[in-house]
């Protein structure tokens, strides 16, 4: 087997991408703070942020449970044993990455730090280029037509 069959990813792992983006948002906010929306709309965004974080955690937990039920790994550096298409995988092929992106957005809304909102799409793009595309090649090599059929029905993100 080729390495793409064995291991879809090495470094950087997607969580590292999101943690790096969050750290960069904090550093940029310290160096170049961007204006935030004042009350009362800012307070509304604070509440929305908590809802977004709750939704992100719900998606992440549901995806992890679906993977555990399918007896396949959640680790992005290990090969998948089974193709998971149920639960949150029925509406996005990458629910954990969707959840991670939502988490960044939610934290930005809660903290009132615009850099999180600006860097969330950049983290999603980096995840696509550095992890998802490689994972997709792994899944196609591993599961063939079954994965290609799934890919036709379910979007990469949302």
């Amino acid at each position: 087997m080729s390495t793409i069959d064995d291991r879809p990813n090495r470094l950087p792992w997607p969580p590292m991408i999101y943690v790096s983006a969050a750290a960069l948002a904090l550093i940029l906010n310290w160096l170049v703070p961007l204006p935030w929306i004042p009350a009362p709309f800012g307070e509304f965004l604070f509440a929305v942020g908590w809802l977004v974080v709750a939704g992100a955690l719900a998606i992440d937990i549901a995806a992890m449970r679906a993977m555990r039920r399918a007896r396949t790994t959640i680790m992005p550096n290990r090969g998948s044993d089974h193709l998971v298409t149920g639960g949150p995988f029925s509406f996005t092929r990458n629910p954990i990455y969707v959840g991670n992106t939502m988490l960044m957005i939610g934290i930005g809304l809660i903290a009132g730090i615009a850099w999180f909102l600006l860097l969330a799409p950049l983290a999603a793009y980096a995840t696509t280029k550095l992890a998802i595309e490689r994972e997709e090649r792994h899944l196609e090599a591993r599961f063939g037509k079954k994965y290609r059929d799934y890919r036709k029905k379910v979007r990469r993100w949302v």
Side-chain angles (χ1 to χ4, degrees):
M1 283 188 166
S2 70
T3 64
I4 199 70
D5 291 337
D6 299 333
R7 295 171 55 133
N9 283 314
R10 290 191 178 90
L11 292 177
W13 284 1
M16 291 176 177
I17 294 169
Y18 284 97
V19 167
S20 297
L24 182 58
L26 291 171
I27 291 167
L28 287 170
N29 187 61
W30 180 63
L31 294 173
V32 186
L34 296 176
W36 190 246
I37 300 158
F41 196 62
E43 293 169 358
F44 173 74
L45 292 178
F46 176 83
V48 168
W50 281 108
L51 293 174
V52 172
V53 167
L57 293 175
I59 290 169
D60 280 346
I61 291 167
M64 290 177 207
R65 290 176 122 186
M67 293 175 86
R68 186 175 308 137
R69 276 193 303 275
R71 298 184 195 275
T72 195
T73 184
I74 191 172
M75 301 302 291
N77 65 323
R78 295 187 186 150
S80 297
D81 295 320
H82 304 283
L83 182 63
V84 182
T85 60
F89 290 91
S90 64
F91 67 85
T92 174
R93 295 194 313 256
N94 298 287
I96 294 173
Y97 304 148
V98 168
N100 291 347
T101 305
M102 288 173 60
L103 196 57
M104 275 201 66
I105 292 167
I107 290 169
L109 294 173
I110 292 166
I113 299 174
W115 285 110
F116 277 90
L117 306 178
L118 296 172
L119 291 176
L122 183 63
Y125 179 77
T127 299
T128 298
K129 290 299 177 189
L130 298 172
I132 292 173
E133 289 176 359
R134 191 167 164 83
E135 289 173 5
E136 288 175 343
R137 288 191 301 273
H138 163 76
L139 292 170
E140 186 165 2
R142 234 7 203 238
F143 302 108
K145 183 178 180 338
K146 187 175 178 182
Y147 176 71
R148 287 189 300 276
D149 291 344
Y150 169 65
R151 190 176 61 203
K152 287 178 188 173
K153 289 186 233 172
V154 179
R155 292 176 185 249
R156 179 183 278 167
W157 284 95
V158 186

